[in-house]
Amino acid sequence: MVDWDVYLVTGESLSDGRSTREVVERAIEGGVGVVQLREKDLPVRKRYEIGRELRELTREAGVTFVVNDRVDLAQALDADGVHLGDDDLPVSVARELLGEDAIIGRSVSFVSDAEAAEAAGADYLGVGTVFQTGSKTNIPDEEHGVGPQRVADIAAAVDIPIVGIGGITAENAAEVVATGADGVAVITAVTRAEDPNAATAALREAVERGKRERGD
């Protein structure tokens, strides 16, 4: 059973001089449910080295571990799954390579894409960017800051878990979840926090508040 409440996307260049391992260790203490190895600005060999550390940490803690984009890296690290974007392998191909037990996620910004991803066999969706963010660059205008209403529209259209991503903080996470998200995915809200443990815990509290607001 995956805990979608707080989904951490790693980024060592966005961690104020701390290692990804240190940030993830503290996020685990704060109750993170999913860790995604991103590190897009690092060579794949370095991502692999960091990933080995994260795979060990997450396995010991019972936290779900997925790899951004790279199916080959997910295989090499024995990750729980992979998260795919528009320019990555299709969901169906990733499923063939990783097997039926793998967790396969897909980034979407529109209802039609969400429905297509679910039909292709995606296990969950990352919806965004919900709010304006500087963590992700080269995003088309129509996909940047889609707002909580888009989260609600996608939640109503699919039957698989969704996490909102993009500009999410402990201050606005409850709103995103109240509209239908199962959790929130963040980068800098945890990686740049003075205390990643406390930041993760605050996000969990906000997610639980959002669930109460929608009647869960």
Side-chain angles (χ1 to χ4, degrees):
M1 189 73 166
V2 180
D3 175 1
W4 298 108
D5 283 9
V6 181
Y7 180 126
L8 173 62
V9 181
T10 72
E12 199 154 290
S13 64
L14 301 171
S15 299
D16 285 350
R18 294 173 294 207
S19 70
T20 290
R21 180 189 179 100
E22 179 183 352
V23 170
V24 170
E25 283 178 330
R26 296 177 70 181
I28 287 173
E29 292 169 359
V32 75
V34 181
V35 172
Q36 180 193 124
L37 174 68
R38 188 168 182 258
E39 311 296 345
K40 275 200 167 186
D41 52 351
L42 295 179
V44 68
R45 177 63 177 266
K46 182 62 175 175
R47 274 183 269 173
Y48 171 73
E49 292 169 357
I50 293 173
R52 288 183 63 185
E53 295 182 336
L54 301 190
R55 174 69 286 191
E56 180 182 356
L57 288 171
T58 53
R59 181 173 280 132
E60 289 177 356
V63 169
T64 301
F65 176 58
V66 299
V67 173
N68 187 63
D69 295 349
R70 299 286 297 258
V71 172
D72 58 341
L73 193 54
Q75 289 175 311
L77 293 169
D78 192 28
D80 295 307
V82 67
H83 187 84
L84 305 169
D86 290 342
D87 298 326
D88 302 322
L89 287 175
V91 169
S92 59
V93 176
R95 177 68 67 200
E96 290 176 10
L97 293 170
L98 294 176
E100 288 302 315
D101 292 336
I103 298 168
I104 298 178
R106 182 70 163 81
S107 293
V108 298
S109 301
F110 306 101
V111 171
S112 58
D113 291 337
E115 291 173 333
E118 181 180 36
D123 295 299
Y124 74 97
L125 303 174
V127 178
T129 60
V130 180
F131 303 109
Q132 300 291 319
T133 176
S135 300
K136 304 186 82 174
T137 58
N138 301 318
I139 301 171
D141 289 344
E142 64 271 20
E143 298 178 15
H144 200 193
V146 300
Q149 184 56 50
R150 186 72 57 79
V151 175
D153 293 341
I154 290 174
V158 301
D159 293 320
I160 55 177
I162 68 173
V163 293
I165 187 169
I168 292 174
T169 66
E171 286 67 42
N172 60 30
E175 178 186 7
V176 176
V177 173
T179 62
D182 295 276
V184 294
V186 300
I187 302 178
T188 57
V190 170
T191 64
R192 281 189 172 154
E194 183 176 345
D195 185 347
N197 180 331
T200 304
L203 283 161
R204 283 196 70 91
E205 291 174 6
V207 168
E208 292 304 318
R209 186 167 67 253
K211 291 180 180 179
R212 290 195 298 272
E213 289 176 8
R214 73 180 188 212
D216 284 15

